[in-house]
Amino acid sequence: MKNFDNGARRTDEPVVALVPAAGRGVRLGEATPKAFVPVGGSPMVRLAVEGLIASGAVDRIIVMVPAEFVESAVALLPPSDSVHVVVGGAERIDSVRAGIAAAPEAAYFLVHDAARALTPPELIARVAKELRAGHLAVVPALPVADTIKSVDAAGAVTGTPDRAQLRAIQTPQGFSAELLRSAYLSEGVQATDDAGLVELLGTQVRTIPGDPLAFKITTPLDLLLAHAVLDGADLRKVVVP
């Protein structure tokens, strides 16, 4: 296993945020790619990018979109020299790989789902701070409220994990650039998030407290909730178990 340096880093080393926005979002049931669906009048991807900018913790933002949406993405994103759009891939892992290739100068990466459009800037800044403190991989996490069951192919329950040891993982997920580049070197490797790829290298991933507002907008119900939040509902009044 490669030994990655986890000492404290200089505070002037560049943090680059990668925003995968090439997914079609079939579960949301919209005609346009999910990242371009509006919430409160603004596309999710714009809200996500605005949150990254507002965090004050990111030097450059690379947004990966379908080839046919490059021009429209450039037009709808905040006008800034720090925001760049590149062509993403058929799968999320391909899009992140394209973003990594577009940022050879990065010392740290924050990989942030466009669908987590309401993520507070304060959470983004905390992830970046943990990276600068010397942690190689940092992810926001919330305790799991529901009882979780493992099942077999026929749907029969095979076990009940202790939910006290389970966490729901959010984004942005932060990594040293060297570590994330190494995780993406292997072709054909799959994981449901970037931390999963890093775990395959044997690297410990640190969790920090997440935020209810960083929920992923995946289904029509999630979209309704996002609209309600922007209309004035306060998710911070929700007690997280």
Side-chain angles (χ1 to χ4, degrees):
M1 181 180 69
K2 185 174 180 179
N3 182 29
F4 296 95
D5 175 26
N6 66 342
R9 309 289 290 274
R10 300 201 324 264
T11 58
D12 60 345
E13 292 178 311
V15 176
V16 177
L18 307 180
V19 183
R24 297 296 173 179
V26 175
R27 285 175 291 178
L28 193 60
E30 299 285 337
T32 58
K34 179 167 62 175
F36 293 85
V37 173
V39 177
S42 294
M44 288 187 214
V45 66
R46 182 182 176 102
L47 292 174
V49 168
E50 287 176 341
L52 288 164
I53 294 172
S55 75
V58 175
D59 298 291
R60 197 153 76 94
I61 301 167
I62 299 175
V63 183
M64 297 80 77
V65 303
E68 65 272 25
F69 279 84
V70 169
E71 289 187 8
S72 56
V74 170
L76 64 84
L77 289 172
S80 170
D81 291 339
S82 66
V83 179
H84 304 270
V85 178
V86 301
V87 176
E91 302 293 338
R92 184 183 186 279
I93 196 168
D94 302 314
S95 291
V96 175
R97 187 174 280 118
I100 291 172
E105 83 285 6
Y108 312 99
F109 282 116
L110 299 184
V111 187
H112 187 39
D113 292 338
R116 297 186 188 273
L118 307 186
T119 300
E122 296 80 10
L123 178 58
I124 298 167
R126 280 196 284 121
V127 174
K129 183 178 179 180
E130 291 285 327
L131 290 175
R132 292 196 184 281
H135 297 287
L136 292 173
V138 182
V139 298
L142 289 177
V144 174
D146 293 327
T147 295
I148 304 297
K149 303 284 187 182
S150 59
V151 300
D152 62 19
V157 171
T158 59
T160 306
D162 178 5
R163 72 181 182 187
Q165 299 180 11
L166 300 177
R167 295 292 183 271
I169 302 303
Q170 302 177 319
T171 72
Q173 297 188 357
F175 308 94
S176 81
E178 181 185 9
L179 175 61
L180 193 64
R181 290 186 186 110
S182 294
Y184 270 86
L185 284 177
S186 299
E187 296 288 342
V189 176
Q190 296 291 330
T192 56
D193 69 351
D194 301 281
L197 293 177
V198 165
E199 291 161 29
L200 294 176
L201 297 179
T203 300
Q204 185 177 70
V205 177
R206 174 177 173 80
T207 64
I208 64 170
D211 192 295
L213 286 172
F215 69 95
K216 189 174 184 179
I217 304 170
T218 302
T219 67
L221 181 59
D222 298 329
L223 188 59
L224 285 173
L225 177 59
H227 282 298
V229 171
L230 290 184
D231 284 342
D234 187 358
L235 275 190
R236 296 184 189 282
K237 295 178 181 177
V238 177
V239 177
V240 180

